[in-house]
Amino acid sequence: MCGVVGIVSHQPVNQAIYDALTVLQHRGQDAAGIVTWGEDGLRQRKSNGLVRDAFHHRHMLRLTGNVGIGHIRYPTAGGSRSAEAQPFYVNSPYGICLGHNGNLTNYDELAEMLTKEDRRHLSTGSDSEVLLNVFAHELQTRANGHPTPEQIFDAVEAVHRRCAGGYAVVALIVGIGVVAFRDPNGIRPLVLGKRQHDAGTDYVVASESVALDVLQFERVRDVQPGEMIFIENSGVLHTRAYGGEVRHTPCIFEFVYFARPDSILDNLSVYKARLRMGEQLAGKIVREFPQHDIDVVIPIPDTSRTSAVQVAYHLGVKYREGFIKNRYIGRTFIMPGQAERTKSVRHKLNAIDLEFRGKNVLLVDDSIVRGTTSRQIIKLARDAGARRVYFASAAPPVRYPNVYGIDMPAATELIANGRSVEEIEKLIGADRLIYQDLHGLIRSVRHDNSSIREFDTSCFSGEYVTGDVTDEYLNEIERRRNDAEKQRRESRRKGRDAADATDAENTGAAVGM
C-alpha cells in the first residue's frame, strides 16, 4: 500500500506536498519522494524512511516550482531499496515522473512486451516502473510536439487496456502538467480537490481526503473508476471518463485498516463504516455468546478504537483503554520480516495492569492477518492478570492474498488460511474468538446513500474482481511474497551492495583518491 499526491498551484508546492505526505504516512513508512517543476527545471528528492527523515531543510529549499507530485511507500515483494523509492522518472517523451499506489497483475507480461517490442529499458523490479513506461510509450506514439489533452487521455485509455490490476496514479509531464487516473474497477482510492484564491484555482489529487483537509482544499469528488484527470501547469483542469468497461469495486480493506478514520473514500466515511463494524460485530457476539461474562472491552490501538466503542455500547459493558502505544513504532502489519514484526509488537504496546487484573476481557482488533500481533497481545493481557481473554475481529478471516496493492503475506503465512475459527482460537491463545461476517462487513461500509453496490473482498472471499487472477498467478505470488524468499532477496542485495562498495574502494585506491 502506498500514498500519492499531485498539486498544480499558483504558488510553491514543496511544503504542501510534504504536509500531504505526512498525513498519508500511515499508508507507507519505507520511503518517500517529491518531484517539483518550475523555472529552475525538474527537482527531485527521494529516500528511504519516514517523510520527516527523507526531507531536510536543504532538500526543501531545492524543491522549487508550483507543480509537483509526491509518494510514500511501504515494503513490497520488490524490496525496500532507495532505488525503488518513487516517483520514478523516464526522459522520453518530454520527461515523465510517476507515483503509483496499487499492483499490476499482468506485470510479467507487460515487462516482457516493453523490453522486447516497445524497446524500453527497465532498471527495477517494480510494476510502477512498468506502468510508467507503458504510459510513456503510449504518449510517444500519439503526440508530436506539445501533447493535447485528448492525446494524453488517449494514452491513458491505452494504459487501461494494457494494464490489469488495481492502481491509482499521479504523473508529472515536464513542462506540461499533472495527470492522474484510477483503474477501471476503482480498487485503489483517489480524490480530487481544489482551492480558489485571488490568483486563480489550485488543484490537488491524493489517495485520501484527509490530505485535502490538512491543505485546506475543498473536496470536489472522488476520481471515478477509469477516469482521467489532466491539470495544465497554468491551472486549467481537463477530465474524461473512461470509454471502456467500468465496474466500481473499491477495496474494502481500506475501510477496515489502511485509511485514516477521518477520510472519506468513494463518498463513504471511514469513521462511520468502522462505527457500523462495531455494531455488526456486537450483534455477532450476542448471537454466538448470548450468556457472555465480559467485564470490559479493550481496543487494540489504534485502528480498532472506533469499532470497539460501539461493541462496548451495544453489549452494555465498560469500554477501557488497556494498552498504551509507543507512537514511534511503525504499523506492525506492514513491517518486513517476521522477526521485526515480533519484536515491534512487544516494543509497541504496554498493558495497564489495573484494567486487566481479575477481569474477563474482550479485546477488539480491526483484523487478524498473520496472527503474530494477536498472539502476543493476548499474552500481554494474561501477563497483566486477565482471568479470561476473548478476542473479536471487526473483519472476517483473512484467508487469501491481496493482489491489488496490499502486500498481504503469502497464503501459507495467513493464520486463517485453511484453518477453522476454533483452530485459530487455539493458535492465538484466546479463550474465545469471534469474527465479523463478510455480509456484516459489507453492510457496515456500504450505506443507503452510496452508489457502490459491491467491493473487492478478495482477501476474505478469494473472489478477484478483475477476473484475471489464476491459480498459477497466486502460486507465483506465494513464491515471491513469503518471508523466506524476501530474506533471500535482501541477503543477495546486501551482498551486491558490499561488493559494489569494495569495488569502489579499490578503484579509488588505484587512482590515488
Side-chain angles (χ1 to χ4, degrees), residues 160 182-186 223-227 242 246-249 266:
H160 287 327
R182 195 177 178 193
D183 67 86
N185 286 88
V223 177
Q224 296 304 300
E227 184 183 12
Y242 178 45
V246 170
R247 178 188 174 196
H248 198 177
T249 54
D266 289 307

Side-chain angles (χ1 to χ4, degrees), residues 251-474:
C251 175
I252 205 165
F253 208 74
E254 289 274 359
F255 296 88
V256 171
Y257 177 80
F258 269 106
R260 272 181 44 151
D262 45 345
S263 282
I264 296 174
L265 305 179
D266 289 307
N267 214 32
L268 295 167
S269 166
V270 177
Y271 175 74
K272 288 186 176 180
R274 290 178 184 166
L275 283 176
R276 290 190 289 265
M277 287 178 208
E279 295 169 5
Q280 293 288 328
L281 183 58
K284 178 80 178 288
I285 293 169
V286 169
R287 292 193 301 274
E288 290 197 355
F289 197 9
Q291 304 302 319
H292 72 78
D293 56 354
I294 300 167
D295 296 316
V296 61
V297 172
I298 293 177
I300 297 171
D302 288 315
T303 321
S304 64
R305 280 196 174 103
T306 310
S307 296
V309 168
Q310 289 298 91
V311 170
Y313 175 78
H314 287 281
L315 293 182
V317 301
K318 294 177 182 178
Y319 170 90
R320 291 290 186 269
E321 293 285 342
F323 295 106
I324 299 301
K325 181 179 179 180
N326 180 349
R327 299 184 183 278
Y328 300 97
I329 299 291
R331 301 182 87 176
T332 314
F333 166 66
I334 62 178
M335 284 192 171
Q338 184 67 14
E340 184 69 17
R341 286 188 293 268
T342 301
K343 179 180 70 174
S344 293
V345 171
R346 299 294 303 189
H347 291 177
K348 183 171 69 172
L349 296 176
N350 190 44
I352 302 175
D353 288 12
L354 62 87
E355 296 295 353
F356 292 91
R357 188 168 294 115
K359 297 177 183 177
N360 298 330
V361 177
L362 173 65
L363 303 180
V364 177
D365 206 352
D366 52 77
S367 59
I368 305 172
V369 181
R370 294 175 177 87
T372 306
T373 302
S374 307
R375 188 182 305 114
Q376 291 196 59
I377 287 175
I378 289 169
K379 187 176 186 305
L380 279 175
R382 293 196 190 282
D383 291 345
R387 184 188 303 120
R388 291 179 182 153
V389 182
Y390 308 121
F391 203 95
S393 168
V398 178
R399 302 189 186 278
Y400 307 93
N402 184 291
V403 301
Y404 300 126
I406 301 175
D407 191 37
M408 218 161 254
T412 53
E413 294 174 359
L414 298 168
I415 193 170
N417 182 259
R419 293 190 176 99
S420 67
V421 173
E422 291 73 21
E423 289 171 326
I424 302 167
E425 184 179 277
K426 290 178 182 178
L427 280 173
I428 65 175
D431 291 298
R432 194 175 195 118
L433 172 62
I434 299 173
Y435 277 104
Q436 179 87 270
D437 291 327
L438 181 56
H439 65 268
L441 175 60
I442 293 172
R443 278 202 306 269
S444 300
V445 180
R446 186 179 64 204
H447 58 78
D448 294 339
N449 296 327
S450 171
S451 61
I452 297 172
R453 290 292 169 260
E454 55 182 333
F455 295 87
D456 166 52
T457 62
S458 54
C459 58
F460 306 119
S461 65
E463 298 173 4
Y464 296 94
V465 295
T466 54
D468 62 337
V469 178
T470 63
D471 289 341
E472 291 77 14
Y473 179 81
L474 291 176

Side-chain angles (χ1 to χ4, degrees), residues 15 22 27 33 41 62 85 114 129 150 173 178-179 213 219 240 263 270 324 359-360 384 405 417 443 471 482 497:
Q15 188 64 50
T22 59
R27 301 185 67 86
R62 290 199 294 265
L114 280 168
E129 188 188 16
E150 290 307 308
I173 306 176
V178 168
V179 182
D213 296 338
R219 179 180 172 273
R240 189 166 97 183
S263 282
V270 177
I324 299 301
K359 297 177 183 177
N360 298 330
N417 182 259
R443 278 202 306 269
D471 289 341
N482 70 79
D497 289 349

Side-chain angles (χ1 to χ4, degrees), residues 191-195 202-205 212 217-220:
V191 185
L192 173 67
K194 69 177 182 180
R195 180 176 60 195
D202 300 339
Y203 289 100
V204 60
V205 285
L212 280 56
F217 275 71
E218 172 193 350
R219 179 180 172 273
V220 176

